[in-house]
PDB file of all heavy atoms in Angstrom:
ATOM      1  N   GLY A  92       8.564 -15.241-115.083  1.00 88.00           N
ATOM      2  CA  GLY A  92       9.808 -15.154-115.876  1.00 88.00           C
ATOM      3  C   GLY A  92      11.034 -15.532-115.096  1.00 88.00           C
ATOM      4  O   GLY A  92      11.899 -16.270-115.585  1.00 88.00           O
ATOM      5  N   ARG A  93      11.116 -15.076-113.842  1.00 84.00           N
ATOM      6  CA  ARG A  93      12.288 -15.381-113.026  1.00 84.00           C
ATOM      7  C   ARG A  93      12.324 -16.871-112.650  1.00 84.00           C
ATOM      8  O   ARG A  93      13.399 -17.465-112.524  1.00 84.00           O
ATOM      9  CB  ARG A  93      12.302 -14.536-111.759  1.00 84.00           C
ATOM     10  CG  ARG A  93      13.632 -14.538-111.070  1.00 84.00           C
ATOM     11  CD  ARG A  93      13.737 -13.454-110.015  1.00 84.00           C
ATOM     12  NE  ARG A  93      12.986 -13.822-108.803  1.00 84.00           N
ATOM     13  CZ  ARG A  93      12.966 -13.077-107.709  1.00 84.00           C
ATOM     14  NH1 ARG A  93      13.630 -11.929-107.668  1.00 84.00           N
ATOM     15  NH2 ARG A  93      12.291 -13.452-106.658  1.00 84.00           N
ATOM     16  N   PHE A  95      11.512 -19.395-114.516  1.00 85.00           N
ATOM     17  CA  PHE A  95      12.063 -20.155-115.647  1.00 85.00           C
ATOM     18  C   PHE A  95      13.570 -19.996-115.785  1.00 85.00           C
ATOM     19  O   PHE A  95      14.262 -20.897-116.281  1.00 85.00           O
ATOM     20  CB  PHE A  95      11.369 -19.772-116.955  1.00 85.00           C
ATOM     21  CG  PHE A  95       9.995 -20.324-117.112  1.00 85.00           C
ATOM     22  CD1 PHE A  95       8.889 -19.477-117.198  1.00 85.00           C
ATOM     23  CD2 PHE A  95       9.778 -21.690-117.159  1.00 85.00           C
ATOM     24  CE1 PHE A  95       7.621 -19.993-117.337  1.00 85.00           C
ATOM     25  CE2 PHE A  95       8.504 -22.194-117.280  1.00 85.00           C
ATOM     26  CZ  PHE A  95       7.423 -21.357-117.383  1.00 85.00           C
ATOM     27  N   ALA A  96      14.103 -18.818-115.384  1.00 86.00           N
ATOM     28  CA  ALA A  96      15.488 -18.495-115.733  1.00 86.00           C
ATOM     29  C   ALA A  96      16.476 -18.537-114.583  1.00 86.00           C
ATOM     30  O   ALA A  96      17.703 -18.543-114.819  1.00 86.00           O
ATOM     31  CB  ALA A  96      15.528 -17.093-116.371  1.00 86.00           C
ATOM     32  N   SER A  97      16.030 -18.578-113.328  1.00 84.00           N
ATOM     33  CA  SER A  97      16.934 -18.381-112.201  1.00 84.00           C
ATOM     34  C   SER A  97      17.998 -19.476-112.093  1.00 84.00           C
ATOM     35  O   SER A  97      19.166 -19.196-111.813  1.00 84.00           O
ATOM     36  CB  SER A  97      16.142 -18.296-110.909  1.00 84.00           C
ATOM     37  OG  SER A  97      15.389 -17.123-110.869  1.00 84.00           O
ATOM     38  N   LEU A  98      17.616 -20.741-112.282  1.00 83.00           N
ATOM     39  CA  LEU A  98      18.595 -21.835-112.181  1.00 83.00           C
ATOM     40  C   LEU A  98      19.651 -21.672-113.261  1.00 83.00           C
ATOM     41  O   LEU A  98      20.858 -21.882-112.983  1.00 83.00           O
ATOM     42  CB  LEU A  98      17.889 -23.182-112.304  1.00 83.00           C
ATOM     43  CG  LEU A  98      18.809 -24.416-112.229  1.00 83.00           C
ATOM     44  CD1 LEU A  98      19.614 -24.399-110.916  1.00 83.00           C
ATOM     45  CD2 LEU A  98      18.000 -25.689-112.336  1.00 83.00           C
ATOM     46  N   PHE A  99      19.240 -21.290-114.454  1.00 88.00           N
ATOM     47  CA  PHE A  99      20.206 -21.054-115.533  1.00 88.00           C
ATOM     48  C   PHE A  99      21.221 -19.994-115.137  1.00 88.00           C
ATOM     49  O   PHE A  99      22.440 -20.180-115.307  1.00 88.00           O
ATOM     50  CB  PHE A  99      19.459 -20.636-116.805  1.00 88.00           C
ATOM     51  CG  PHE A  99      20.334 -20.071-117.885  1.00 88.00           C
ATOM     52  CD1 PHE A  99      21.110 -20.930-118.673  1.00 88.00           C
ATOM     53  CD2 PHE A  99      20.433 -18.696-118.092  1.00 88.00           C
ATOM     54  CE1 PHE A  99      21.931 -20.405-119.654  1.00 88.00           C
ATOM     55  CE2 PHE A  99      21.248 -18.189-119.078  1.00 88.00           C
ATOM     56  CZ  PHE A  99      22.006 -19.053-119.872  1.00 88.00           C
ATOM     57  N   TRP A 100      20.766 -18.859-114.633  1.00 89.00           N
ATOM     58  CA  TRP A 100      21.677 -17.773-114.235  1.00 89.00           C
ATOM     59  C   TRP A 100      22.594 -18.198-113.096  1.00 89.00           C
ATOM     60  O   TRP A 100      23.761 -17.808-113.067  1.00 89.00           O
ATOM     61  CB  TRP A 100      20.899 -16.512-113.843  1.00 89.00           C
ATOM     62  CG  TRP A 100      20.195 -15.839-114.986  1.00 89.00           C
ATOM     63  CD1 TRP A 100      18.851 -15.606-115.103  1.00 89.00           C
ATOM     64  CD2 TRP A 100      20.783 -15.323-116.190  1.00 89.00           C
ATOM     65  NE1 TRP A 100      18.582 -14.963-116.304  1.00 89.00           N
ATOM     66  CE2 TRP A 100      19.749 -14.770-116.976  1.00 89.00           C
ATOM     67  CE3 TRP A 100      22.090 -15.255-116.660  1.00 89.00           C
ATOM     68  CZ2 TRP A 100      19.978 -14.183-118.197  1.00 89.00           C
ATOM     69  CZ3 TRP A 100      22.317 -14.660-117.886  1.00 89.00           C
ATOM     70  CH2 TRP A 100      21.279 -14.133-118.652  1.00 89.00           C
ATOM     71  N   GLY A 101      22.069 -18.997-112.158  1.00 84.00           N
ATOM     72  CA  GLY A 101      22.912 -19.475-111.068  1.00 84.00           C
ATOM     73  C   GLY A 101      24.027 -20.360-111.555  1.00 84.00           C
ATOM     74  O   GLY A 101      25.181 -20.263-111.117  1.00 84.00           O
ATOM     75  N   ILE A 102      23.726 -21.286-112.492  1.00 86.00           N
ATOM     76  CA  ILE A 102      24.755 -22.169-113.049  1.00 86.00           C
ATOM     77  C   ILE A 102      25.776 -21.383-113.845  1.00 86.00           C
ATOM     78  O   ILE A 102      26.989 -21.635-113.759  1.00 86.00           O
ATOM     79  CB  ILE A 102      24.086 -23.250-113.928  1.00 86.00           C
ATOM     80  CG1 ILE A 102      23.226 -24.181-113.039  1.00 86.00           C
ATOM     81  CG2 ILE A 102      25.133 -24.059-114.703  1.00 86.00           C
ATOM     82  CD1 ILE A 102      22.402 -25.182-113.832  1.00 86.00           C
ATOM     83  N   VAL A 103      25.302 -20.415-114.651  1.00 89.00           N
ATOM     84  CA  VAL A 103      26.232 -19.588-115.419  1.00 89.00           C
ATOM     85  C   VAL A 103      27.151 -18.791-114.500  1.00 89.00           C
ATOM     86  O   VAL A 103      28.354 -18.647-114.768  1.00 89.00           O
ATOM     87  CB  VAL A 103      25.438 -18.629-116.342  1.00 89.00           C
ATOM     88  CG1 VAL A 103      26.363 -17.635-117.013  1.00 89.00           C
ATOM     89  CG2 VAL A 103      24.684 -19.423-117.404  1.00 89.00           C
ATOM     90  N   ALA A 104      26.597 -18.307-113.375  1.00 87.00           N
ATOM     91  CA  ALA A 104      27.423 -17.566-112.422  1.00 87.00           C
ATOM     92  C   ALA A 104      28.505 -18.438-111.810  1.00 87.00           C
ATOM     93  O   ALA A 104      29.588 -17.935-111.466  1.00 87.00           O
ATOM     94  CB  ALA A 104      26.535 -16.989-111.304  1.00 87.00           C
ATOM     95  N   ASP A 105      28.255 -19.757-111.677  1.00 84.00           N
ATOM     96  CA  ASP A 105      29.278 -20.670-111.176  1.00 84.00           C
ATOM     97  C   ASP A 105      30.330 -20.957-112.255  1.00 84.00           C
ATOM     98  O   ASP A 105      31.444 -21.426-111.926  1.00 84.00           O
ATOM     99  CB  ASP A 105      28.650 -21.996-110.746  1.00 84.00           C
ATOM    100  CG  ASP A 105      28.047 -21.919-109.350  1.00 84.00           C
ATOM    101  OD1 ASP A 105      28.402 -21.000-108.598  1.00 84.00           O
ATOM    102  OD2 ASP A 105      27.196 -22.757-109.024  1.00 84.00           O
ATOM    103  N   ARG A 106      30.009 -20.703-113.526  1.00 87.00           N
ATOM    104  CA  ARG A 106      30.945 -21.010-114.617  1.00 87.00           C
ATOM    105  C   ARG A 106      31.780 -19.775-114.994  1.00 87.00           C
ATOM    106  O   ARG A 106      33.013 -19.890-115.147  1.00 87.00           O
ATOM    107  CB  ARG A 106      30.162 -21.484-115.842  1.00 87.00           C
ATOM    108  CG  ARG A 106      29.381 -22.759-115.642  1.00 87.00           C
ATOM    109  CD  ARG A 106      30.301 -23.982-115.540  1.00 87.00           C
ATOM    110  NE  ARG A 106      29.534 -25.190-115.361  1.00 87.00           N
ATOM    111  CZ  ARG A 106      29.063 -25.928-116.366  1.00 87.00           C
ATOM    112  NH1 ARG A 106      29.245 -25.543-117.618  1.00 87.00           N
ATOM    113  NH2 ARG A 106      28.402 -27.043-116.128  1.00 87.00           N
ATOM    114  N   ILE A 107      31.133 -18.651-115.185  1.00 88.00           N
ATOM    115  CA  ILE A 107      31.880 -17.508-115.724  1.00 88.00           C
ATOM    116  C   ILE A 107      32.119 -16.409-114.660  1.00 88.00           C
ATOM    117  O   ILE A 107      32.916 -15.498-114.905  1.00 88.00           O
ATOM    118  CB  ILE A 107      31.163 -16.879-116.938  1.00 88.00           C
ATOM    119  CG1 ILE A 107      29.841 -16.257-116.516  1.00 88.00           C
ATOM    120  CG2 ILE A 107      30.923 -17.916-118.022  1.00 88.00           C
ATOM    121  CD1 ILE A 107      29.147 -15.471-117.628  1.00 88.00           C
ATOM    122  N   GLY A 108      31.438 -16.495-113.549  1.00 87.00           N
ATOM    123  CA  GLY A 108      31.651 -15.491-112.497  1.00 87.00           C
ATOM    124  C   GLY A 108      30.378 -14.778-112.084  1.00 87.00           C
ATOM    125  O   GLY A 108      29.364 -14.828-112.775  1.00 87.00           O
ATOM    126  N   ARG A 109      30.438 -14.150-110.912  1.00 88.00           N
ATOM    127  CA  ARG A 109      29.269 -13.442-110.363  1.00 88.00           C
ATOM    128  C   ARG A 109      29.076 -12.088-111.076  1.00 88.00           C
ATOM    129  O   ARG A 109      27.958 -11.695-111.354  1.00 88.00           O
ATOM    130  CB  ARG A 109      29.450 -13.185-108.877  1.00 88.00           C
ATOM    131  CG  ARG A 109      30.074 -14.322-108.068  1.00 88.00           C
ATOM    132  CD  ARG A 109      29.327 -15.628-108.168  1.00 88.00           C
ATOM    133  NE  ARG A 109      29.854 -16.594-107.207  1.00 88.00           N
ATOM    134  CZ  ARG A 109      29.650 -17.905-107.311  1.00 88.00           C
ATOM    135  NH1 ARG A 109      28.964 -18.400-108.329  1.00 88.00           N
ATOM    136  NH2 ARG A 109      30.137 -18.732-106.393  1.00 88.00           N
ATOM    137  N   PRO A 111      29.659 -10.730-114.182  1.00 92.00           N
ATOM    138  CA  PRO A 111      28.955 -10.587-115.469  1.00 92.00           C
ATOM    139  C   PRO A 111      27.444 -10.716-115.346  1.00 92.00           C
ATOM    140  O   PRO A 111      26.703  -9.976-116.015  1.00 92.00           O
ATOM    141  CB  PRO A 111      29.558 -11.706-116.328  1.00 92.00           C
ATOM    142  CG  PRO A 111      30.863 -12.026-115.710  1.00 92.00           C
ATOM    143  CD  PRO A 111      30.692 -11.796-114.237  1.00 92.00           C
ATOM    144  N   ILE A 112      26.975 -11.623-114.502  1.00 93.00           N
ATOM    145  CA  ILE A 112      25.531 -11.816-114.344  1.00 93.00           C
ATOM    146  C   ILE A 112      24.902 -10.593-113.641  1.00 93.00           C
ATOM    147  O   ILE A 112      23.825 -10.157-113.996  1.00 93.00           O
ATOM    148  CB  ILE A 112      25.243 -13.118-113.569  1.00 93.00           C
ATOM    149  CG1 ILE A 112      25.960 -14.287-114.188  1.00 93.00           C
ATOM    150  CG2 ILE A 112      23.736 -13.372-113.510  1.00 93.00           C
ATOM    151  CD1 ILE A 112      25.672 -14.498-115.649  1.00 93.00           C
ATOM    152  N   PHE A 115      24.766  -7.712-116.226  1.00 94.00           N
ATOM    153  CA  PHE A 115      23.717  -7.918-117.234  1.00 94.00           C
ATOM    154  C   PHE A 115      22.335  -7.732-116.627  1.00 94.00           C
ATOM    155  O   PHE A 115      21.423  -7.186-117.280  1.00 94.00           O
ATOM    156  CB  PHE A 115      23.843  -9.322-117.829  1.00 94.00           C
ATOM    157  CG  PHE A 115      22.811  -9.600-118.893  1.00 94.00           C
ATOM    158  CD1 PHE A 115      22.954  -9.109-120.173  1.00 94.00           C
ATOM    159  CD2 PHE A 115      21.680 -10.380-118.570  1.00 94.00           C
ATOM    160  CE1 PHE A 115      21.987  -9.366-121.142  1.00 94.00           C
ATOM    161  CE2 PHE A 115      20.716 -10.627-119.555  1.00 94.00           C
ATOM    162  CZ  PHE A 115      20.871 -10.139-120.836  1.00 94.00           C
ATOM    163  N   SER A 116      22.142  -8.164-115.393  1.00 94.00           N
ATOM    164  CA  SER A 116      20.838  -8.043-114.740  1.00 94.00           C
ATOM    165  C   SER A 116      20.463  -6.575-114.532  1.00 94.00           C
ATOM    166  O   SER A 116      19.314  -6.172-114.779  1.00 94.00           O
ATOM    167  CB  SER A 116      20.860  -8.774-113.389  1.00 94.00           C
ATOM    168  OG  SER A 116      21.071 -10.139-113.541  1.00 94.00           O
ATOM    169  N   LEU A 143      11.548  -8.936-118.023  1.00 93.00           N
ATOM    170  CA  LEU A 143      12.367  -8.393-116.934  1.00 93.00           C
ATOM    171  C   LEU A 143      12.682  -9.437-115.896  1.00 93.00           C
ATOM    172  O   LEU A 143      13.819  -9.546-115.424  1.00 93.00           O
ATOM    173  CB  LEU A 143      11.629  -7.200-116.289  1.00 93.00           C
ATOM    174  CG  LEU A 143      12.331  -6.479-115.151  1.00 93.00           C
ATOM    175  CD1 LEU A 143      13.699  -5.947-115.595  1.00 93.00           C
ATOM    176  CD2 LEU A 143      11.492  -5.339-114.624  1.00 93.00           C
ATOM    177  N   GLY A 144      11.700 -10.261-115.551  1.00 90.00           N
ATOM    178  CA  GLY A 144      11.942 -11.338-114.613  1.00 90.00           C
ATOM    179  C   GLY A 144      12.899 -12.394-115.160  1.00 90.00           C
ATOM    180  O   GLY A 144      13.731 -12.952-114.438  1.00 90.00           O
ATOM    181  N   SER A 145      12.779 -12.678-116.470  1.00 92.00           N
ATOM    182  CA  SER A 145      13.636 -13.698-117.089  1.00 92.00           C
ATOM    183  C   SER A 145      15.085 -13.263-117.171  1.00 92.00           C
ATOM    184  O   SER A 145      16.002 -14.081-116.997  1.00 92.00           O
ATOM    185  CB  SER A 145      13.115 -14.012-118.503  1.00 92.00           C
ATOM    186  OG  SER A 145      11.813 -14.495-118.464  1.00 92.00           O
ATOM    187  N   LEU A 146      15.309 -12.005-117.476  1.00 93.00           N
ATOM    188  CA  LEU A 146      16.686 -11.516-117.733  1.00 93.00           C
ATOM    189  C   LEU A 146      17.352 -10.939-116.496  1.00 93.00           C
ATOM    190  O   LEU A 146      18.556 -10.728-116.506  1.00 93.00           O
ATOM    191  CB  LEU A 146      16.643 -10.457-118.841  1.00 93.00           C
ATOM    192  CG  LEU A 146      16.116 -10.960-120.215  1.00 93.00           C
ATOM    193  CD1 LEU A 146      16.116  -9.829-121.230  1.00 93.00           C
ATOM    194  CD2 LEU A 146      16.925 -12.143-120.714  1.00 93.00           C
ATOM    195  N   ASN A 147      16.591 -10.674-115.460  1.00 89.00           N
ATOM    196  CA  ASN A 147      17.178 -10.177-114.214  1.00 89.00           C
ATOM    197  C   ASN A 147      17.508 -11.369-113.326  1.00 89.00           C
ATOM    198  O   ASN A 147      16.728 -11.760-112.451  1.00 89.00           O
ATOM    199  CB  ASN A 147      16.219  -9.216-113.503  1.00 89.00           C
ATOM    200  CG  ASN A 147      16.829  -8.564-112.284  1.00 89.00           C
ATOM    201  OD1 ASN A 147      17.959  -8.871-111.910  1.00 89.00           O
ATOM    202  ND2 ASN A 147      16.089  -7.679-111.646  1.00 89.00           N
ATOM    203  N   GLY A 148      18.681 -11.957-113.530  1.00 86.00           N
ATOM    204  CA  GLY A 148      19.068 -13.158-112.797  1.00 86.00           C
ATOM    205  C   GLY A 148      20.030 -12.876-111.652  1.00 86.00           C
ATOM    206  O   GLY A 148      20.897 -13.703-111.350  1.00 86.00           O
ATOM    207  N   MET A 149      19.898 -11.729-110.997  1.00 86.00           N
ATOM    208  CA  MET A 149      20.926 -11.301-110.049  1.00 86.00           C
ATOM    209  C   MET A 149      20.785 -11.910-108.669  1.00 86.00           C
ATOM    210  O   MET A 149      21.777 -12.007-107.927  1.00 86.00           O
ATOM    211  CB  MET A 149      20.901  -9.780-109.927  1.00 86.00           C
ATOM    212  CG  MET A 149      22.215  -9.244-109.396  1.00 86.00           C
ATOM    213  SD  MET A 149      22.166  -7.481-109.002  1.00 86.00           S
ATOM    214  CE  MET A 149      21.297  -7.502-107.470  1.00 86.00           C
ATOM    215  N   LEU A 150      19.610 -12.308-108.234  1.00 82.00           N
ATOM    216  CA  LEU A 150      19.410 -12.697-106.844  1.00 82.00           C
ATOM    217  C   LEU A 150      20.289 -13.861-106.442  1.00 82.00           C
ATOM    218  O   LEU A 150      20.895 -13.870-105.363  1.00 82.00           O
ATOM    219  CB  LEU A 150      17.929 -13.018-106.584  1.00 82.00           C
ATOM    220  CG  LEU A 150      17.586 -13.272-105.133  1.00 82.00           C
ATOM    221  CD1 LEU A 150      17.980 -12.103-104.247  1.00 82.00           C
ATOM    222  CD2 LEU A 150      16.092 -13.570-104.991  1.00 82.00           C
ATOM    223  N   ALA A 151      20.411 -14.897-107.284  1.00 81.00           N
ATOM    224  CA  ALA A 151      21.227 -16.051-106.960  1.00 81.00           C
ATOM    225  C   ALA A 151      22.710 -15.695-106.813  1.00 81.00           C
ATOM    226  O   ALA A 151      23.327 -15.980-105.773  1.00 81.00           O
ATOM    227  CB  ALA A 151      21.034 -17.179-107.983  1.00 81.00           C
ATOM    228  N   PRO A 152      23.342 -15.041-107.812  1.00 88.00           N
ATOM    229  CA  PRO A 152      24.771 -14.722-107.660  1.00 88.00           C
ATOM    230  C   PRO A 152      25.060 -13.676-106.590  1.00 88.00           C
ATOM    231  O   PRO A 152      26.114 -13.705-105.959  1.00 88.00           O
ATOM    232  CB  PRO A 152      25.170 -14.188-109.054  1.00 88.00           C
ATOM    233  CG  PRO A 152      23.915 -13.874-109.746  1.00 88.00           C
ATOM    234  CD  PRO A 152      22.877 -14.780-109.188  1.00 88.00           C
ATOM    235  N   GLY A 408      26.374 -20.769-106.392  1.00 77.00           N
ATOM    236  CA  GLY A 408      25.537 -20.099-107.396  1.00 77.00           C
ATOM    237  C   GLY A 408      24.381 -20.985-107.823  1.00 77.00           C
ATOM    238  O   GLY A 408      23.251 -20.542-107.940  1.00 77.00           O
ATOM    239  N   ALA A 409      24.674 -22.282-108.087  1.00 80.00           N
ATOM    240  CA  ALA A 409      23.632 -23.205-108.492  1.00 80.00           C
ATOM    241  C   ALA A 409      22.592 -23.413-107.389  1.00 80.00           C
ATOM    242  O   ALA A 409      21.380 -23.468-107.651  1.00 80.00           O
ATOM    243  CB  ALA A 409      24.236 -24.548-108.892  1.00 80.00           C
ATOM    244  N   GLY A 412      20.507 -20.569-107.285  1.00 84.00           N
ATOM    245  CA  GLY A 412      19.633 -20.604-108.475  1.00 84.00           C
ATOM    246  C   GLY A 412      18.425 -21.493-108.260  1.00 84.00           C
ATOM    247  O   GLY A 412      17.304 -21.141-108.636  1.00 84.00           O
ATOM    248  N   THR A 416      14.681 -20.113-108.201  1.00 85.00           N
ATOM    249  CA  THR A 416      13.675 -20.715-109.088  1.00 85.00           C
ATOM    250  C   THR A 416      12.439 -21.113-108.312  1.00 85.00           C
ATOM    251  O   THR A 416      11.314 -20.783-108.679  1.00 85.00           O
ATOM    252  CB  THR A 416      14.265 -21.924-109.834  1.00 85.00           C
ATOM    253  OG1 THR A 416      15.362 -21.507-110.641  1.00 85.00           O
ATOM    254  CG2 THR A 416      13.202 -22.589-110.701  1.00 85.00           C
TER     255      THR A 416
END
Side-chain angles (χ1 to χ4, degrees):
R93 196 168 74 177
F95 285 117
S97 291
L98 180 56
F99 167 78
W100 291 121
I102 294 173
V103 172
D105 280 341
R106 298 289 181 87
I107 67 173
R109 320 303 189 199
I112 308 305
F115 180 78
S116 297
L143 180 57
S145 299
L146 299 180
N147 185 357
M149 201 188 78
L150 187 56
T416 297

